[in-house]
Amino acid sequence: MNYISTRGYREAVSGARAIKKGIAPDSGLYLPENIPELKDIDFERMLEEDYPRRAARILRYFLDDYSREELERYAEAAYSQRFSHPAVAPLLQLDQSAFILELWHGPTCAFKDLALQIMPYLLTAALKKTGENKEAVILVATSGDTGKAALEGFRDVPQSSVFVFYPSEGVSGFQKLQMATQEGKNVGVMAVEGNFDDAQTGVKEIFGDPAFRDKLARRGKFLSSANSINWGRLVPQIAYYISAYLELAARGALTQGEPANIVVPTGNFGNILAAYYAKRMGLPVARLICASNANKILTDFINTGVYDKNREFHKTMSPSMDILISSNLERLLYELSDRDPGLIVSWMDQLKDKGCYRVGDSIRARLKEDFWAGFASEEETRAAIRSAFDQFQYLLDPHTAVGYKVYQDYRKAFSDDKPAIIVSTASPFKFSVSVAQAIFGLEAAHEDEFTLLQRIAAASGWVIPKALGELKIKPVRFSRVCAREKMKEALEEWV
Ligand SMILES: *Cc1c(COP(=O)(O)O)cnc(C)c1O
């Protein structure tokens, strides 16, 4: 299986090479030359397998330059020890049709661990497979969760180092503390003045700077990415959708072949894109429900066909979704345009120059076949947390609450009671202030975050994740902030 660029670069590359490079030479995103089909998958056999085995099976569809044995070993190492739940990605039933897929039992309490725990193995092997002697410098722009998950995944991994930029005022208290206290010899963290889009744009500029590339090469290093522009982030995410569907079938919520809906709280469009690929592989999925917070650029795009980032940027209680440039949409557009790189280049140029582009009617129609979109305001998000807690004693983090609210809207509009997999992307404890405000009242914000962990645990009976509780006593290693224009210098100094 080879990988090609959304912007038409002539040379196709192996899976290992796509993972190593992260982004194509023409700044396009890699995707598989053709989408493998699940048709001959052995559902019965997979049902009996544990999560690492299932994941390895799905990875193998896309990464056939890795052996089955290798992938099984990596999945075992990534998922068996460091996740606190034996099912890794457990599925929990709320009511007749709503199922929550909990993706936050990993070491950093957010779904990014599902990809970033296994990615270092994939990358290290990719360096060997491609005869690469240079050190991979993993450069990350984060809206909060990717940064920590990448730091934790790549810490002390040989022949690699990781440097993270996060928006100084754009992440939650725990997110910031998690990164500031990161251990490991090969890690660096820097806050950037501005929002996530500033950090992401700065990182993209560094990637696109040939002089910087040469400078690194002379020191025996090269840049790679652990953001969801890297295909290595997306494949492990496809696996949990297929695994969750199997669980629905195993529990008799549907019979095999019957479709389910999938609801995804969305920012950079990586997670929902993985669900889209699962569908394209043949997984029976009816609607992909794309949920946004007050930054509802994707809702507007799916409903109107116009992508317009000339709008106010809102800082919300779901900071990992505070994004106006959803990188992975480029991959979806490529698929929906029947893989026309010319169209992609023209839209991406318009986005860069005018901040806006419009897709044609046929693409819009195809978009509507697969997707439904909605959003939740801050007040609606709080109400969703409160109502799930009152009704089911279930704690939603603010990102998941956005998905939950949009799913309720969808259900009302269509009276569609098919089983729905609602993706839960973070532990509610990671956003303790917002969750406490929803449950106890707004004045909870005056209390210390660690006190709120205790209060939430006492009210719910849920267990505080160890990784968050122990932040209180961990020394802070990284506290510097740089201006948006100084990002390259900061990185250079660290390298
Ligand atoms: C990253 C993240 C999201 C958004 O996922 P995308 O793949 O960027 O769409 C949602 N919720 C949480 C908690 C996240 O960390």
Side-chain angles (χ1 to χ4, degrees):
M1 163 87 61
N2 278 334
Y3 286 79
I4 52 177
S5 164
T6 49
R7 300 195 190 176
Y9 188 72
R10 59 194 183 284
E11 191 189 340
V13 300
S14 67
R17 206 167 281 277
I19 289 174
K20 180 177 102 174
K21 292 174 101 66
I23 192 162
D26 56 357
S27 300
L29 305 186
Y30 282 120
L31 38 68
E33 211 159 31
N34 42 56
I35 300 170
E37 280 179 51
L38 278 174
K39 62 179 183 306
D40 50 350
I41 201 164
D42 189 345
F43 272 101
E44 297 302 319
R45 168 110 61 85
M46 260 182 101
L47 265 177
E48 286 162 20
E49 290 175 335
D50 61 7
Y51 189 82
R53 280 292 168 109
R54 288 179 185 175
R57 210 180 265 278
I58 304 307
L59 286 167
R60 178 94 169 121
Y61 274 87
F62 291 95
L63 303 176
D64 54 6
D65 49 339
Y66 293 69
S67 71
R68 180 180 305 278
E69 188 275 332
E70 274 180 297
L71 293 173
E72 284 180 358
R73 191 151 38 85
Y74 302 155
E76 186 65 27
Y79 299 127
S80 65
Q81 300 290 321
R82 307 201 65 208
F83 281 73
S84 62
H85 195 291
V88 181
L91 189 68
L92 189 133
Q93 183 162 15
L94 278 192
D95 64 23
Q96 188 65 23
S97 57
F99 292 79
I100 303 265
L101 179 61
E102 294 181 347
L103 296 177
W104 40 262
H105 293 280
T108 77
C109 309
F111 85 90
K112 308 291 199 294
D113 287 328
L114 270 296
L116 282 162
Q117 281 297 309
I118 193 163
M119 216 178 122
Y121 295 99
L122 298 175
L123 181 75
T124 307
L127 298 181
K128 284 219 181 67
K129 287 179 196 295
T130 57
E132 180 63 69
N133 298 317
K134 292 200 284 298
E135 174 192 308
V137 179
I138 315 287
L139 183 56
V140 180
T142 185
S143 55
D145 290 326
T146 296
K148 178 61 186 178
L151 290 162
E152 200 51 41
F154 280 98
R155 76 186 238 198
D156 297 326
V157 170
Q159 211 185 334
S160 70
S161 55
V162 50
F163 196 86
V164 173
F165 288 108
Y166 72 87
S168 60
E169 299 310 323
V171 302
S172 85
F174 277 128
Q175 287 179 317
K176 190 181 272 195
L177 205 50
Q178 276 186 314
M179 290 187 275
T181 57
Q182 178 63 44
E183 293 164 14
K185 286 195 272 300
N186 60 343
V187 300
V189 177
M190 178 74 65
V192 184
E193 290 163 1
N195 60 37
F196 170 72
D197 290 318
D198 295 319
Q200 180 165 255
T201 306
V203 159
K204 279 185 184 159
E205 279 169 20
I206 297 175
F207 269 106
D209 179 346
F212 190 73
R213 231 182 356 243
D214 291 345
K215 216 181 257 181
L216 278 185
R218 282 198 295 277
R219 297 189 211 171
K221 295 170 199 268
F222 72 97
L223 285 179
S224 187
S225 169
N227 280 99
S228 54
I229 55 173
N230 192 319
W231 181 255
R233 270 281 298 277
L234 293 182
V235 208
Q237 297 182 187
I238 297 172
Y240 53 68
Y241 289 109
I242 294 167
S243 178
Y245 181 86
L246 287 170
E247 289 297 330
L248 285 178
R251 292 188 202 178
L254 43 69
T255 53
Q256 200 188 301
E258 275 179 350
N261 291 313
I262 296 180
V263 185
V264 188
T266 296
N268 222 359
F269 212 77
N271 206 359
I272 196 167
L273 186 78
Y276 170 80
Y277 276 113
K279 179 174 185 180
R280 290 287 306 268
M281 289 174 79
L283 192 72
V285 177
R287 271 280 150 71
L288 297 161
I289 298 171
C290 176
S292 302
N293 65 19
N295 296 295
K296 60 183 189 60
I297 190 163
L298 287 166
T299 311
D300 293 342
F301 175 67
I302 290 169
N303 290 331
T304 66
V306 178
Y307 195 93
D308 187 357
K309 80 171 180 69
N310 302 307
R311 62 175 72 206
E312 196 185 338
F313 179 91
H314 298 279
K315 264 176 63 176
T316 73
M317 67 178 106
S318 45
S320 302
M321 292 155 63
D322 289 348
I323 293 177
L324 292 181
I325 306 172
S326 292
S327 306
N328 273 296
L329 195 59
E330 179 168 342
R331 285 186 168 110
L332 179 68
L333 292 173
Y334 186 75
E335 301 292 3
L336 296 182
S337 66
D338 290 324
R339 305 194 148 206
D340 182 341
L343 274 174
I344 301 300
V345 169
S346 123
W347 289 325
M348 293 306 129
D349 283 348
Q350 291 173 47
L351 182 63
K352 204 167 168 196
D353 299 340
K354 298 185 298 193
C356 182
Y357 61 86
R358 173 195 292 271
V359 299
D361 287 343
S362 70
I363 300 225
R364 235 184 105 193
R366 296 175 84 170
L367 199 54
K368 291 230 154 180
E369 268 169 42
D370 286 323
F371 292 86
W372 191 82
F375 72 100
S377 69
E378 292 291 90
E379 195 39 58
E380 289 166 334
T381 306
R382 254 192 297 276
I385 297 174
R386 196 160 47 235
S387 104
F389 188 62
D390 289 346
Q391 209 178 340
F392 307 110
Q393 287 71 57
Y394 190 82
L395 290 174
L396 300 168
D397 93 284
H399 303 78
T400 310
V402 167
Y404 182 77
K405 187 270 175 186
V406 170
Y407 174 59
Q408 305 298 351
D409 291 347
Y410 172 81
R411 218 162 151 180
K412 257 189 232 127
F414 294 91
S415 306
D416 178 353
D417 279 332
K418 278 193 263 314
I421 298 165
I422 302 170
V423 179
S424 177
T425 49
S427 160
F429 288 104
K430 195 164 184 176
F431 300 91
S432 59
V433 177
S434 303
V435 170
Q437 285 190 303
I439 296 176
F440 306 127
L442 293 178
E443 62 287 354
H446 301 304
E447 289 176 59
D448 158 59
E449 288 192 305
F450 291 97
T451 313
L452 291 176
L453 285 185
Q454 305 289 348
R455 273 190 76 187
I456 294 168
S460 63
W462 286 33
V463 178
I464 300 171
K466 205 166 134 260
L468 296 180
E470 70 189 18
L471 284 175
K472 197 170 183 170
I473 50 166
K474 275 198 161 180
V476 168
R477 293 182 65 199
F478 306 101
S479 53
R480 287 179 56 192
V481 185
C482 77
R484 156 82 180 73
E485 311 73 52
K486 300 280 182 201
M487 288 172 63
K488 202 188 307 172
E489 272 169 50
L491 178 64
E492 212 169 334
E493 190 185 315
W494 177 78
V495 162

